[in-house]
Amino acid sequence: MPTTSKAPADQIDTRLVRKLADILTETGLSEIEVEHGGLKVRVVKTLTAATVQYAAPAPMPVAASPAATPAAAAVAEAAPVSNGDPVKSPMVGTVYLQPNPGSPAFVKVGDTVEAGQTLFIIEAMKTMNPVPAPRAGKIVQVLIDDAQPVEFGEPLAIIE
């Protein structure tokens, strides 16, 4: 007689998942993850197009070359670069372009970066989390402003 083993999915308490979903709704978070006794549960809330913050772009900070005019910077921001790979936010939080107020930005448009180089910092729950470059390349576009709230998976920059 064959033996049956319970799959990990059978161990999931649906009440726990519902409670986590309620916490997401109550707190406005977009995801939550808990681990207990070897069981890890992650609940993610999908955002609708109406709540996407970058649907109406805000003015981009002075990240373009000094010779660029404000009109050229606005056009460059409005038309995302199709070539290259997006660097996406690994978490929900507030993104910062430099390590300290008044310091130079980690990167600016035109900079060549190495894989693993810090591009931004995201503050989440009073913790500063570096956002590393996923690969070597050239920064062709910065899609966010300093001190801007970001969602999980939101594009932050484009590396070509």
Side-chain angles (χ1 to χ4, degrees), residues 33-50:
E33 184 175 316
V34 295
E35 186 173 353
H36 180 69
L39 178 66
K40 187 184 243 184
V41 177
R42 180 174 175 220
V43 179
V44 179
K45 178 172 45 172
T46 304
L47 300 176
T48 63

Side-chain angles (χ1 to χ4, degrees), residues 123-157:
E123 179 183 7
M125 298 181 69
K126 306 287 184 203
T127 302
M128 298 298 185
N129 303 282
V131 178
R135 66 175 182 89
K138 179 179 171 184
I139 301 292
V140 293
Q141 194 168 15
V142 176
L143 303 170
I144 41 85
D145 292 324
D146 189 46
Q148 173 181 325
V150 293
E151 292 291 328
F152 174 79
E154 181 177 337
L156 305 175

